Amino acid sequence: MASQDADEDTTRDTGGAARTDAQTVDPKITAAVAAAEAAGPAAGETVRIDSWIWAVRLIKTRSLGATACRGGHVHVNGERVKPAYAVRVGDEVRLRHEGRERVVIVKRLIRKRVGAPVAQQCYIDNSPPPPPREAVAPLVLRDRGTGRPTKRDRRELERLRALNGLRGRPGGQ
């Protein structure tokens, strides 16, 4: 009788009713999200903005997040904020960092830094697309009389020539 129950359980699992979206998500990500929520603030609590933008990987270090807040590069709901500002679910965060503006809406509060797939589930990204990179790298020419290029200079010239599709000498000769 126990073997019949075991057979029924396996046929139910593999029997294949339509799977939901929750089942198609990677189980590792789901477990990591659950761990991040467990380590996060309790109901009704808030998280500092500098800590949150660091935890969701918008900025590399928390001190860079605090510096960005003090420099006026972080706005929450249209207002410039200090590093200790308490962010809440539903807030719109605008961050200017490394020549790019990021616009995100807070979806989940976390305090600890998590992996990138988990971090992306903590906000909705409404950022404009990044500016296009230059199609052709600029050709660097050395000034006459500056002497023989160092090994580092030679490697940089070769790298730039490979990007531009040139072969041979620096002048394209």
Side-chain angles (χ1 to χ4, degrees), residues 58-79:
L58 295 176
I59 289 205
K60 279 189 176 181
T61 65
R62 183 170 171 193
S63 62
L64 277 177
T67 304
C69 291
R70 278 189 231 104
H73 299 288
V74 179
H75 295 258
V76 177
N77 297 328
E79 293 186 24

Side-chain angles (χ1 to χ4, degrees), residues 19-35:
R19 295 189 184 271
T20 62
D21 288 337
Q23 292 174 336
T24 59
V25 174
D26 188 9
K28 291 180 183 177
I29 293 174
T30 307
V33 169

Side-chain angles (χ1 to χ4, degrees), residues 76-165:
V76 177
N77 297 328
E79 293 186 24
R80 185 175 161 181
V81 295
K82 294 181 178 180
Y85 181 85
V87 69
R88 294 178 179 83
V89 174
D91 285 348
E92 179 189 60
V93 178
R94 289 182 175 268
L95 168 70
R96 270 193 340 247
H97 182 62
E98 295 179 352
R100 183 174 178 208
E101 184 174 20
R102 301 288 306 263
V103 180
V104 297
I105 296 174
V106 179
K107 197 166 127 180
R108 182 176 291 131
L109 296 178
I110 58 172
R111 283 199 175 129
K112 290 187 175 182
R113 192 164 170 100
V114 293
V118 179
Q120 288 174 349
Q121 294 183 358
C122 294
Y123 61 86
I124 300 169
D125 195 357
N126 294 332
S127 303
R133 294 184 178 179
E134 292 184 33
V136 178
L139 182 62
V140 177
L141 298 176
R142 292 178 47 86
D143 294 332
R144 279 188 136 5
T146 57
R148 183 175 177 177
T150 64
K151 193 171 190 177
R152 180 180 178 190
D153 292 339
R154 180 182 54 81
R155 287 181 177 162
E156 288 178 2
L157 286 170
E158 287 176 358
R159 183 179 54 82
L160 287 173
R161 270 191 243 123
L163 290 174
N164 288 330

